[in-house]
Amino acid sequence: MKVKRKIEIAVISDVHLGTYGCHAKHLLTYLNSIEPKKLILNGDIIDVWQFSKRYFPKSHLKVIKKIMDMASDGVEIFYITGNHDEMLRKFSGTSIGNIAIVDKLVLNLDGKKGWFFHGDVFDVSIQQAKWVAKLGGYGYDLLILINRLVNWYLEKRGKERYSFSKKIKNSVKKAVKFINDFETVISDLAIENGYDYVVCGHIHQPKMEYKENKHGKTMYLNSGDWVENFTALEYQFKRWKIYNYNKDKLAPFYIDESMEDLEVKDLIAAITIVDKHEKK
């Protein structure tokens, strides 16, 4: 029998199910290794921006099925909406069994207040130029393709070629500044409102660090992502830690054999089971 780690809270974000960059099998291995009381899905779990009917492999479907199974087994699940799954915000405040859809969440954790949200509301690039942010989500390959078309046009006009990749490299300092500003703004707001912890995602940068200003201090936590970093946040014994799949994965935990032949009808059945638990 496989022994699972019992934890109070697990937080994952930026899974981006439905995209080629998502590492669903890694996430499934992680979910099969834990037994949390609460599972917080902190935004961008399903990538609606890049969703395609042509690409939603079984491993992605299995992640959804696993979450449904956890809910039916009594795990309290909070789905916090993000920018890539913003269409769910119209359902904020509703529940399906043990799964609640919210835009933000406040929890009392052993006498301390934790503030959970995705973080995109603090991203000016999304709020003021959403189409640019969406375009960026399609990745480097699309950028290269556009760059080739632009350079073809420039050469036709007798003008100098332009390198998008060089422009990006030159803006790395700006990217670092954006991350620092993001963390500072969020932490300052958490301190102002008396939160001991502020937990977000969005920028795909796992982090756990105390932030302080003249008004007080808070712990800033970011759950990272399951595209590049494969990280989660865990709360147990009154402490937070960053789980890193590449460093912390445990060999005994694999994808459940019972999920190997999962079909859409099985997912529908899982949702039905969750709904029945809610009605009891």
Side-chain angles (χ1 to χ4, degrees), residues 117-149:
F117 56 90
H118 182 64
D120 59 293
V121 293
F122 294 96
D123 188 341
V124 176
S125 69
I126 288 177
Q127 297 305 310
Q128 295 186 356
K130 186 174 289 186
W131 70 272
V132 175
K134 288 185 178 182
L135 180 63
Y138 287 96
Y140 184 75
D141 290 340
L142 180 59
L143 184 70
I144 295 299
L145 178 60
I146 294 173
N147 204 165
R148 287 175 180 172
L149 293 172

Side-chain angles (χ1 to χ4, degrees), residues 38-238:
K38 291 182 174 66
L39 175 63
I40 298 176
L41 309 173
N42 202 355
D44 290 1
I45 305 302
I46 300 174
D47 197 319
V48 180
W49 280 7
Q50 300 179 68
F51 181 79
S52 170
K53 291 180 180 179
R54 295 187 300 273
Y55 186 79
F56 205 88
K58 283 190 176 182
S59 59
H60 294 214
L61 196 61
K62 288 173 185 176
V63 169
I64 298 176
K65 172 67 163 55
K66 178 62 182 180
I67 292 170
M68 294 294 183
D69 286 345
M70 292 173 80
S72 65
D73 288 339
V75 178
E76 192 174 7
I77 296 175
F78 296 95
Y79 193 125
I80 300 175
T81 57
N83 50 299
H84 283 256
D85 45 22
E86 64 183 352
M87 65 171 291
L88 292 177
R89 284 177 176 161
K90 67 178 79 171
F91 303 108
S92 183
T94 62
S95 297
I96 304 174
N98 281 332
I99 303 176
I101 301 174
V102 296
D103 292 333
K104 58 186 176 181
L105 179 68
V106 176
L107 294 178
N108 187 311
L109 305 174
D110 298 302
K112 294 185 177 182
K113 286 200 299 181
W115 186 26
F116 301 77
F117 56 90
H118 182 64
D120 59 293
V121 293
F122 294 96
D123 188 341
V124 176
S125 69
I126 288 177
Q127 297 305 310
Q128 295 186 356
K130 186 174 289 186
W131 70 272
V132 175
K134 288 185 178 182
L135 180 63
Y138 287 96
Y140 184 75
D141 290 340
L142 180 59
L143 184 70
I144 295 299
L145 178 60
I146 294 173
N147 204 165
R148 287 175 180 172
L149 293 172
V150 169
N151 283 332
W152 173 83
Y153 176 77
L154 290 175
E155 287 177 348
K156 283 280 189 181
R157 299 288 299 271
K159 296 185 178 181
E160 186 178 350
R161 290 170 61 88
Y162 184 84
S163 173
F164 286 174
S165 59
K166 185 177 180 180
K167 180 69 175 178
I168 290 173
K169 288 177 183 177
N170 290 338
S171 66
V172 168
K173 289 183 179 179
K174 291 182 181 179
V176 172
K177 183 179 184 301
F178 163 74
I179 292 171
N180 290 335
D181 289 348
F182 178 89
E183 295 174 352
T184 299
V185 168
I186 286 175
S187 299
D188 286 348
L189 197 57
I191 292 169
E192 182 182 332
N193 286 279
Y195 294 110
D196 300 287
Y197 309 116
V198 57
V199 186
C200 57
H202 184 54
I203 58 173
H204 295 210
Q205 295 288 323
K207 195 167 188 179
M208 182 173 69
E209 181 178 281
Y210 275 108
K211 299 285 187 177
E212 191 170 358
N213 61 25
K214 62 181 181 180
H215 301 293
K217 69 176 182 178
T218 191
M219 179 179 279
Y220 167 86
L221 297 126
N222 194 299
S223 48
D225 67 281
W226 288 87
V227 176
E228 297 176 278
N229 294 296
F230 319 137
T231 53
L233 291 169
E234 297 181 351
Y235 182 78
Q236 179 72 333
F237 304 123
K238 301 182 181 181

